[in-house]
Amino acid sequence: MSESVYNRKDRASVDTLRLLAVDMVEKAQSGHPGLPLGAAPLLYVLWTRFLKRDPLAPNWPNRDRFILSPGHGSALLYALLHLCGYGLAIDDLKNFRQWGSLTPGHPERDVTPGVEVSTGPLGHGLAMGVGLAMGERFMAAKFNKPDFKLFDHHVYALVSDGDLMEGVASEAASLAGTQALGRLIYLYDDNHMTIEGNTDLAFTEDVRARFLAYGWQVIVVADGNDLLSVHLALENAERDLGKPSLIMCRTVLGAGSPKSNTSKAHGEPLGAEGLAETRRFYGYGDQEPFFVDERVAKNFQTRSRACVPDRLAWEELLKQYAEKFPEDYAELTRRWAGNLPDLGPSLTFGEKPIATRTASSLVLNDLAKKLPEIIGGSADLGPSNKTVLEGLGSFLPLTPEGRNIHFGVREHAMGAVVNGLALYQGLRPYCSTFLSFSDFARPSLRLAALMGLKVIHIYTHDSVGVGEDGPTHQPIEQLTSLRLLPRVTVIRPADAYETAALWPVILERKEPVALVLSRQDLPILSPTAYPAILTGPARGGYVLSDSEGEPEAIIIATGSEVALALAAQKLLLGQKRVRVVSLPSWELFDENDQSYRESVLPERIEKRLGLEAGLSIGWSRYLGPKGQMVSVEDYGRSAPAQKLFEELGFTPENIAARVLGL
Amino acid sequence: MSESVYNRKDRASVDTLRLLAVDMVEKAQSGHPGLPLGAAPLLYVLWTRFLKRDPLAPNWPNRDRFILSPGHGSALLYALLHLCGYGLAIDDLKNFRQWGSLTPGHPERDVTPGVEVSTGPLGHGLAMGVGLAMGERFMAAKFNKPDFKLFDHHVYALVSDGDLMEGVASEAASLAGTQALGRLIYLYDDNHMTIEGNTDLAFTEDVRARFLAYGWQVIVVADGNDLLSVHLALENAERDLGKPSLIMCRTVLGAGSPKSNTSKAHGEPLGAEGLAETRRFYGYGDQEPFFVDERVAKNFQTRSRACVPDRLAWEELLKQYAEKFPEDYAELTRRWAGNLPDLGPSLTFGEKPIATRTASSLVLNDLAKKLPEIIGGSADLGPSNKTVLEGLGSFLPLTPEGRNIHFGVREHAMGAVVNGLALYQGLRPYCSTFLSFSDFARPSLRLAALMGLKVIHIYTHDSVGVGEDGPTHQPIEQLTSLRLLPRVTVIRPADAYETAALWPVILERKEPVALVLSRQDLPILSPTAYPAILTGPARGGYVLSDSEGEPEAIIIATGSEVALALAAQKLLLGQKRVRVVSLPSWELFDENDQSYRESVLPERIEKRLGLEAGLSIGWSRYLGPKGQMVSVEDYGRSAPAQKLFEELGFTPENIAARVLGL
């Protein structure tokens, strides 16, 4: 209980956090003073009394994770990291929000030591924490042994009104309840204030009752400024490992400033006068900006030092683990290093046409047996996406070693949860839904790209080939819109062999991958007939089938349209020498050197026809100045797929005619 | 109470709905039999005893609205529309899911009479209903008079497990609670079954408690197959006008079929044998497919006829209203017809640079005074988006005439709610958030495009010009990704005058508009210096500033980059004759005839530089074969905006150099 005695030194430390944060905002003339002033006590208690952490080894595997879901409160986090000794100097704080600084406007993983997760878009931090807690449970189930609790930590976050309003947070919170994630403990900065005014304007729900309904434990702290109350609530929360916890702390936005408890405290500097008044309120009226009292600095140092033994003990435990369980240890370190074992020979396929979603299912199931780090699932479309890992069980509270995650009909949170899983070292998570609904997960995928996370999004039912389900379910623009995202690799294989050739590439990528697959069966392009299909796909684009003699025209196609290109090439035999280029991935193809790209698409051959059941926008770079395109430029219709393809001109006959017309 | 007596005829009618639906699926060999078999009793009671409707006038303004939120249950809705006399023949049912039929795979507004809302992507139907109910309240507040309740109806929906799991539904349900939308009554098809299995896999929350937490009334029907129970629950729900109602009806997916209560009942035909067994179960073993007993047909006809007097009485009421309140009536009919009054002269601006978000705010506030049908708001960023209608009040339960909607931090539902408002005749709704978060609302915008709804999405903070908030808040790809959406007009004005010139165009568009605005101040391009700015913007692209004599090069720019283009043009005076083309909207520009487009971008001038603080993809069509681009191809950074623009090459000097290098 000595830990829970809070005295003047603690209060001074909290106020120092507050003032450092508002000083940063004032110096930058940009940022958010309101949250730090209100929520500093919550994070102070958490970081000095509860958080298992070590600034000397900020990434040790069994540390507690902390997420600042309302990322706009970054100044508070940086002040904490500075005082806790994470290598942020006072000059870094003074450089808040400047070009190249370690203290960007919103927390960015990989920029700032101690920042676990990039946050900013509300709701996502909350949702990614759910993935981190699932990661902890999964790794614990796999690697922990009696007396060797290698994975045994909490996932904490600060969450805000804005987070709780976002749909992605509702989805994730409901899933966390079903998953009974007792390691999840969220402090809710319940300040009743949003940008447009009091939360009464838009948010009158009973948050406590809502989270109880999800299956959470809810603890209410009437005064978030009372350190002991916050402390006892956190103790309480940790006692129940069966349920995630929401600790609702009543706080005051902009506490102690002249704008206290008004919307104006949220997102602009306090101004010189407001800042002076705030400084006086906290008893530092005579001090300069960025002042840190010696006792305060020492207090934080002491608290940080107190964390070291835990980490050292764990490292000792790991050493003993290595001796006692050498195979598990080898596997664990392999996974931490992100190394892949030999994946064995690629699958082969019969002659019967199969959908690329089916081929991908075969490959994924094969890989999942060899790579126990593969874990994932679908937003309740597993049997349709064909992303079920057969015989590998469901990931549920009583079966934490299960490899199939049931995300429910929650595409947006699914994307955020796999981000959390990817942030948890040692896992290769995937998720899946229809390509048409990739739009729902898009904000999560964007964050994955910003963080360089190796998540795999499997999107099936990839065109009007969906057929009867009609325009809401037929993706038209999604393939292109995914390609727009920087640092995301988009892959659309033509058949089973391309799918098999591309999965190892997916696993090697250092960034998110969107794998786009057909619902409908597609002819098998056997390596006997098309030897290039074994090695070509990895280059992103390649000559799948060439003409005899110098080609007069090139058909460039992706995915389900490649077989059509080959059929048109056949029709044109004797009339026109046609090369067929398969282009499963723009990003991969663009990474080749110029001479390879020129060998596939020689500048001199200007007669080019692009073929893709999606928008033509962006294709000009492959089609060149005189190329044309068979594409889909408007939303689809409800009808059998074959009929739709015919109506849209995706027939060998039409394609052949278009080639002749070039 | 006679209305609530249910007998064999009613049961036979329910079973006919069931069997027609599964016959349709079987004939199409595609579709969803599970939901109709389970939920037919709910819709039967609703449509025959409660729904204020008239097949002879399916769009009369005071009808109740009905939404099938799980749109995959379309066969049930079509069976109902057929039997209720909405003009769907039995042959239309037999043509289910075929090219050009009236019975597409998911319900499509404008394809099928009686379908109010296109549904398919789960959660959206539920959320759009919230907008419809807000529309009813707003129109009632404006036009109802004592004894003249012109607007006085309910909004009903069937909602499913999948709907309730989606974040957009959580957002909308929370908002509906705050808005106390007592006219909203949702029947929940609570069948405990999803595609991956029992809801226990992913959805164990206490739905009742959750909706109570939102401020809803919740009524539980233990057996959704018991018509009287459903009836009494609906009666009960209608009694409380102070809260939205969720009626949880325990149903059985695929009831009566061999796949009953299994996931397999959801999304594939029952098969000949399964269908025969189902037919036998319901006592129609001897009948052919698509059989409708005469008594059943008559029952539905009688029920539909019974609806007519209500509609006729309302039309009589409207006539009296026209006499007694001629001005209100004129205003109402103007709004129903979608006619705009004279909007008066365009605003003028001083010389001081202002952000286009600020200019838009001035114009929007001016228009809102003249057009009382304008209603809207922001996802809690009103003061930042500058979309607050000054002095026009907040739309809240006690102030239903308020014009400012507080959506809360709920971008996705915001998009769905404005769809609902647009579906409600007589309103011109808008919504707003940062451009970076347009991704969250994208699925709603896509549905708006599919339905041809005149919604206005205002997206501010439109580039790295956001500055310090960093990459999560800086849109890079969003401008392009919005342009990908067919049937959406994207507009990015260059300054205050372009903004003013384009707002009337926005109001005239027959499709969704995304208006993209700067956070940062931009120079005023005064009509004195640039006369073309008054009429040019409406054409989407125009010569803003030409060279003296035949131009040697063209700079094409949009939004905040137009002023830079002009600055570069000035720098190049005497060195290079440069034309500056402002291109605020691709969609508008592409609608011009070829000769106009050629006059702006003559083919002979091949030296072209594109200028946009976003991706270059898609620009080739304006840049031609030799054009180049100053663009942003990767995510942004946290730093002051000016610094970012410099680092990215958006300076007059660099642009001038690039022009010289063409």
Side-chain angles (χ1 to χ4, degrees):
Chain A
M1 198 61 184
S2 75
E3 282 292 274
S4 66
V5 173
Y6 290 89
N7 54 30
R8 266 176 35 191
K9 185 177 56 190
D10 295 297
R11 296 232 56 95
S13 298
V14 172
D15 295 341
T16 301
L17 286 172
R18 287 178 157 128
L19 292 174
L20 279 179
V22 294
D23 281 338
M24 291 167 69
V25 173
E26 195 65 22
K27 174 120 196 336
Q29 279 300 298
S30 163
H32 302 76
L35 185 148
L37 288 172
L42 315 185
L43 295 201
Y44 177 74
V45 173
L46 177 64
W47 277 64
T48 59
R49 304 303 204 276
F50 290 87
L51 204 67
K52 195 158 66 180
R53 61 179 180 83
D54 183 358
L56 303 177
N59 295 319
W60 70 286
N62 196 38
R63 71 194 181 279
D64 289 333
R65 276 29 172 206
F66 172 76
I67 305 169
L68 183 75
S69 195
H72 56 268
S74 58
L76 174 58
L77 182 56
Y78 299 143
L80 260 175
L81 291 171
H82 165 66
L83 291 171
C84 290
Y86 278 76
L88 278 191
I90 201 84
D91 277 347
D92 293 315
L93 302 195
K94 290 180 181 169
N95 220 4
F96 184 47
R97 296 184 150 233
Q98 302 311 303
W99 178 263
S101 81
L102 292 177
T103 48
H106 289 79
E108 294 182 34
R109 180 187 151 75
D110 298 334
V111 169
T112 317
V115 169
E116 295 276 357
V117 181
S118 301
T119 51
L122 291 172
H124 282 93
L126 188 158
M128 290 189 282
V130 174
L132 281 169
M134 288 166 71
E136 195 265 358
R137 172 180 289 169
F138 183 76
M139 291 296 275
K142 169 76 187 165
F143 290 103
N144 284 5
K145 312 275 179 191
D147 299 325
F148 288 89
K149 288 200 173 176
L150 291 186
F151 299 95
D152 177 33
H153 66 80
H154 287 89
V155 176
Y156 296 97
L158 184 76
V159 304
S160 64
D161 290 308
D163 290 298
L164 298 188
M165 283 190 255
E166 289 282 7
V168 65
S170 296
E171 293 177 358
S174 176
L175 181 61
T178 294
Q179 289 284 347
L181 297 173
R183 301 304 184 117
L184 209 60
I185 300 180
Y186 286 175
L187 290 159
Y188 168 27
D189 181 30
D190 184 12
N191 62 30
H192 294 210
M193 203 50 66
T194 69
I195 293 177
E196 294 189 1
N198 193 285
T199 46
D200 283 351
L201 287 174
F203 189 54
T204 56
E205 65 175 48
D206 180 345
V207 170
R208 183 176 160 278
R210 175 178 148 212
F211 275 75
L212 289 173
Y214 291 145
W216 288 49
Q217 168 180 223
V218 182
I219 300 169
V220 177
V221 173
D223 177 7
N225 207 21
D226 180 39
L227 303 178
L228 182 58
S229 295
V230 175
H231 187 104
L232 295 176
L234 280 163
E235 270 190 354
N236 226 326
E238 295 199 345
R239 270 190 211 112
D240 188 345
L241 284 177
K243 286 177 175 181
S245 297
L246 185 74
I247 304 176
M248 301 177 65
C249 303
R250 184 65 173 97
T251 58
V252 176
L253 187 75
S257 81
K259 295 176 180 172
S260 169
N261 203 31
T262 70
S263 298
K264 284 196 181 303
H266 166 74
E268 46 191 62
L270 295 174
E273 231 171 277
L275 185 56
E277 197 176 324
T278 309
R279 204 182 298 286
R280 280 195 298 275
F281 179 90
Y282 287 110
Y284 289 81
D286 300 334
Q287 302 297 346
E288 292 297 299
F290 296 97
F291 171 75
V292 178
D293 185 282
E294 237 176 76
R295 284 169 314 156
V296 166
K298 216 180 136 198
N299 176 39
F300 278 101
Q301 284 156 16
T302 309
R303 292 285 164 191
S304 282
R305 261 201 307 278
C307 298
V308 179
D310 254 6
R311 193 250 309 167
L312 293 177
W314 183 89
E315 285 177 355
E316 182 52 35
L317 188 75
L318 184 66
K319 244 186 237 166
Q320 294 169 19
Y321 185 93
E323 281 166 29
K324 205 157 173 194
F325 311 103
E327 278 180 36
D328 289 291
Y329 180 76
E331 172 67 5
L332 179 58
T333 47
R334 176 189 72 74
R335 285 165 64 167
W336 277 341
N339 295 331
L340 295 176
D342 178 32
L343 297 176
S346 214
L347 294 190
T348 57
F349 304 90
E351 287 179 11
K352 195 171 155 267
I354 59 173
T356 48
R357 63 173 167 152
T358 307
S360 175
S361 175
L362 296 168
V363 179
L364 176 61
N365 270 280
D366 179 55
L367 290 170
K369 281 187 209 111
K370 298 164 185 164
L371 296 174
E373 60 264 47
I374 291 183
I375 177 173
S378 164
D380 194 42
L381 288 171
S384 288
N385 300 136
K386 298 198 183 289
T387 46
V388 178
L389 304 178
E390 300 297 340
L392 295 184
S394 291
F395 180 82
L396 286 168
L398 295 179
T399 50
E401 72 294 343
R403 309 267 295 275
N404 291 286
I405 300 174
H406 301 282
F407 292 104
V409 189
R410 306 182 180 106
E411 298 82 5
H412 194 167
M414 174 174 73
V417 168
V418 292
N419 286 353
L421 289 166
L423 285 163
Y424 207 91
Q425 266 186 300
L427 300 172
R428 287 307 305 267
Y430 69 90
C431 63
S432 56
T433 184
F434 291 160
L435 178 58
S436 181
F437 303 143
S438 62
D439 286 343
F440 289 63
R442 187 173 179 83
S444 301
L445 183 58
R446 187 181 205 262
L447 267 174
L450 277 169
M451 289 190 273
L453 300 181
K454 300 198 278 180
V455 295
I456 304 168
H457 285 230
I458 303 176
Y459 294 129
T460 70
H461 295 60
D462 72 348
S463 74
V464 293
V466 167
E468 292 90 342
D469 273 346
T472 56
H473 284 54
Q474 292 165 354
I476 299 303
E477 75 282 12
Q478 282 81 356
L479 184 56
T480 313
S481 68
L482 288 171
R483 288 180 183 138
L484 297 186
L485 286 167
R487 310 187 209 165
V488 172
T489 306
V490 182
I491 294 179
R492 186 175 186 240
D495 83 324
Y497 279 100
E498 275 202 2
T499 307
L502 284 160
W503 257 105
V505 178
I506 292 168
L507 293 173
E508 296 285 359
R509 296 297 284 178
K510 306 287 185 232
E511 60 182 31
V513 174
L515 177 61
V516 173
L517 302 167
S518 79
R519 174 199 186 215
Q520 72 274 25
D521 288 336
L522 302 176
I524 302 291
L525 308 176
S526 90
T528 324
Y530 306 100
I533 205 161
L534 292 177
T535 56
R539 308 206 70 160
Y542 63 104
V543 180
L544 174 66
S545 169
D546 215 351
S547 55
E548 287 203 24
E550 169 79 1
E552 299 166 289
I554 306 178
I555 307 180
I556 314 168
T558 81
S560 51
E561 285 67 71
V562 171
L564 283 173
L566 293 169
Q569 180 194 43
K570 202 167 284 176
L571 279 183
L572 290 166
L573 260 184
Q575 289 179 76
K576 201 91 177 175
R577 295 189 303 277
V578 175
R579 164 180 291 188
V580 171
V581 168
S582 178
L583 188 66
S585 171
W586 292 14
E587 295 81 13
L588 294 177
F589 184 66
D590 292 352
E591 286 176 9
N592 291 287
D593 59 29
Q594 164 63 14
S595 77
Y596 175 78
R597 283 180 283 135
E598 170 69 16
S599 75
V600 176
L601 298 173
E603 208 173 56
R604 66 181 180 280
I605 309 176
E606 290 202 319
K607 291 185 176 173
R608 302 181 187 185
L609 187 72
L611 211 56
E612 187 168 78
L615 299 178
S616 59
I617 185 169
W619 268 83
S620 59
R621 70 170 120 173
Y622 304 114
L623 298 179
K626 302 211 172 147
Q628 293 183 19
M629 184 88 195
V630 178
S631 60
V632 180
E633 301 295 336
D634 197 6
Y635 300 109
R637 301 270 290 270
S638 171
Q642 195 47 43
K643 174 71 179 169
L644 286 164
F645 279 123
E646 281 165 29
E647 292 284 337
L648 291 163
F650 287 88
T651 62
E653 295 72 22
N654 181 56
I655 295 159
R658 290 289 301 274
V659 170
L660 292 175
L662 283 169
Chain B
M1 200 60 183
S2 76
E3 282 290 275
S4 66
V5 172
Y6 290 89
N7 55 30
R8 266 175 38 191
K9 186 176 56 191
D10 295 298
R11 295 233 56 95
S13 299
V14 171
D15 295 342
T16 301
L17 287 171
R18 288 179 157 126
L19 292 173
L20 279 179
V22 294
D23 281 340
M24 291 166 69
V25 173
E26 195 65 21
K27 174 123 198 332
Q29 278 300 296
S30 163
H32 302 77
L35 184 149
L37 288 171
L42 315 185
L43 296 201
Y44 177 74
V45 172
L46 177 64
W47 277 65
T48 61
R49 304 303 203 276
F50 289 87
L51 205 66
K52 194 157 68 177
R53 60 180 180 84
D54 183 357
L56 303 177
N59 294 320
W60 70 285
N62 195 38
R63 72 195 181 279
D64 287 335
R65 278 24 173 210
F66 172 76
I67 304 169
L68 184 75
S69 195
H72 57 266
S74 59
L76 174 58
L77 181 56
Y78 299 144
L80 259 176
L81 291 172
H82 165 65
L83 291 169
C84 289
Y86 278 76
L88 279 190
I90 201 86
D91 277 347
D92 293 316
L93 301 193
K94 291 180 180 169
N95 221 4
F96 183 47
R97 297 185 148 234
Q98 303 310 303
W99 178 264
S101 81
L102 292 177
T103 48
H106 289 79
E108 294 182 33
R109 179 187 152 75
D110 298 334
V111 169
T112 317
V115 169
E116 296 276 357
V117 180
S118 300
T119 51
L122 291 172
H124 281 94
L126 187 158
M128 290 189 282
V130 173
L132 283 169
M134 287 165 73
E136 196 263 359
R137 172 181 287 170
F138 184 75
M139 291 295 275
K142 168 77 187 167
F143 290 103
N144 284 5
K145 312 275 181 190
D147 298 326
F148 288 89
K149 288 200 173 175
L150 290 186
F151 298 95
D152 177 33
H153 67 79
H154 286 89
V155 177
Y156 296 97
L158 185 74
V159 304
S160 64
D161 290 309
D163 290 299
L164 298 188
M165 280 189 258
E166 289 282 6
V168 63
S170 295
E171 293 177 358
S174 176
L175 181 61
T178 294
Q179 288 286 346
L181 296 172
R183 302 303 186 115
L184 210 61
I185 299 179
Y186 286 174
L187 290 158
Y188 168 27
D189 181 30
D190 183 12
N191 62 31
H192 294 209
M193 203 49 69
T194 69
I195 292 178
E196 294 188 2
N198 192 286
T199 45
D200 283 351
L201 286 175
F203 188 55
T204 55
E205 64 174 48
D206 180 344
V207 170
R208 183 177 160 277
R210 174 178 149 211
F211 275 76
L212 288 173
Y214 291 145
W216 289 48
Q217 167 178 225
V218 182
I219 301 167
V220 177
V221 173
D223 177 5
N225 208 20
D226 180 40
L227 304 179
L228 183 57
S229 295
V230 176
H231 187 103
L232 295 175
L234 280 163
E235 271 190 354
N236 227 325
E238 296 199 344
R239 270 191 211 112
D240 188 345
L241 284 178
K243 287 177 175 181
S245 296
L246 185 75
I247 304 176
M248 301 177 65
C249 303
R250 182 66 173 97
T251 58
V252 176
L253 187 75
S257 81
K259 295 177 181 173
S260 169
N261 203 30
T262 70
S263 297
K264 284 193 180 306
H266 165 74
E268 44 191 64
L270 295 174
E273 233 170 275
L275 185 56
E277 198 177 321
T278 309
R279 205 182 297 287
R280 281 195 297 277
F281 179 89
Y282 288 110
Y284 289 81
D286 301 334
Q287 302 297 347
E288 291 296 299
F290 296 97
F291 170 75
V292 177
D293 186 282
E294 237 175 76
R295 284 170 315 157
V296 165
K298 218 181 132 193
N299 175 38
F300 278 101
Q301 285 156 16
T302 309
R303 292 286 165 189
S304 282
R305 261 202 306 278
C307 297
V308 178
D310 253 6
R311 193 252 306 168
L312 294 177
W314 183 87
E315 286 178 355
E316 182 52 37
L317 188 74
L318 184 64
K319 242 185 237 165
Q320 293 169 19
Y321 185 93
E323 281 166 27
K324 206 157 170 193
F325 311 103
E327 278 180 33
D328 290 290
Y329 179 77
E331 172 66 5
L332 179 58
T333 48
R334 176 189 73 75
R335 285 166 60 168
W336 277 341
N339 296 330
L340 295 176
D342 178 30
L343 297 177
S346 214
L347 294 190
T348 58
F349 302 90
E351 287 178 12
K352 192 170 158 270
I354 58 173
T356 49
R357 63 174 167 150
T358 308
S360 175
S361 176
L362 295 168
V363 178
L364 176 61
N365 270 281
D366 178 55
L367 290 169
K369 282 187 207 110
K370 298 164 185 165
L371 297 174
E373 59 263 48
I374 290 182
I375 178 173
S378 164
D380 194 43
L381 289 171
S384 287
N385 300 136
K386 298 199 182 288
T387 46
V388 178
L389 304 178
E390 300 298 338
L392 295 183
S394 291
F395 181 82
L396 285 168
L398 295 179
T399 50
E401 71 294 341
R403 308 268 294 278
N404 291 286
I405 300 174
H406 302 283
F407 291 105
V409 188
R410 305 183 181 104
E411 299 82 4
H412 194 168
M414 174 175 72
V417 167
V418 292
N419 286 352
L421 289 166
L423 285 162
Y424 207 91
Q425 266 185 298
L427 300 172
R428 285 309 303 270
Y430 70 89
C431 64
S432 55
T433 184
F434 291 159
L435 177 60
S436 181
F437 304 143
S438 63
D439 286 344
F440 290 62
R442 186 173 179 84
S444 300
L445 183 59
R446 187 181 204 260
L447 267 175
L450 278 167
M451 290 191 272
L453 300 181
K454 300 197 278 180
V455 295
I456 304 166
H457 285 228
I458 302 175
Y459 294 129
T460 70
H461 295 59
D462 72 347
S463 74
V464 293
V466 165
E468 291 89 342
D469 273 346
T472 56
H473 285 55
Q474 291 166 354
I476 297 303
E477 75 282 13
Q478 282 80 358
L479 184 57
T480 314
S481 69
L482 288 170
R483 288 180 183 139
L484 298 185
L485 287 166
R487 310 187 208 164
V488 172
T489 306
V490 183
I491 294 178
R492 185 175 187 241
D495 84 324
Y497 279 100
E498 275 201 3
T499 308
L502 283 160
W503 257 105
V505 178
I506 292 168
L507 293 173
E508 295 284 359
R509 295 298 286 178
K510 306 289 186 228
E511 61 183 32
V513 174
L515 177 62
V516 173
L517 302 167
S518 79
R519 175 198 186 216
Q520 72 274 27
D521 288 336
L522 302 176
I524 302 292
L525 309 176
S526 90
T528 324
Y530 306 101
I533 206 162
L534 293 177
T535 56
R539 309 205 71 160
Y542 64 103
V543 179
L544 175 66
S545 169
D546 216 351
S547 54
E548 287 202 27
E550 169 78 1
E552 298 166 289
I554 306 178
I555 307 179
I556 315 170
T558 81
S560 50
E561 286 67 71
V562 172
L564 282 173
L566 293 170
Q569 181 194 41
K570 202 168 285 177
L571 280 182
L572 290 166
L573 259 183
Q575 288 179 76
K576 200 91 174 175
R577 293 189 305 277
V578 176
R579 163 181 291 187
V580 172
V581 168
S582 177
L583 188 67
S585 172
W586 292 14
E587 295 81 12
L588 293 176
F589 183 67
D590 292 352
E591 285 175 10
N592 291 288
D593 59 29
Q594 164 62 17
S595 76
Y596 175 78
R597 283 179 284 137
E598 170 68 16
S599 75
V600 176
L601 298 172
E603 210 173 59
R604 67 180 179 279
I605 309 177
E606 290 201 321
K607 292 186 177 171
R608 301 181 188 186
L609 186 72
L611 209 57
E612 188 169 76
L615 298 178
S616 60
I617 185 170
W619 268 83
S620 59
R621 69 170 120 173
Y622 304 114
L623 298 179
K626 304 214 170 146
Q628 294 183 18
M629 184 86 195
V630 178
S631 60
V632 180
E633 300 296 335
D634 197 5
Y635 300 110
R637 300 272 290 272
S638 172
Q642 194 47 41
K643 173 73 178 167
L644 286 163
F645 279 124
E646 281 165 28
E647 292 285 337
L648 291 162
F650 286 88
T651 61
E653 294 72 22
N654 182 55
I655 295 159
R658 290 289 302 272
V659 170
L660 291 175
L662 282 170

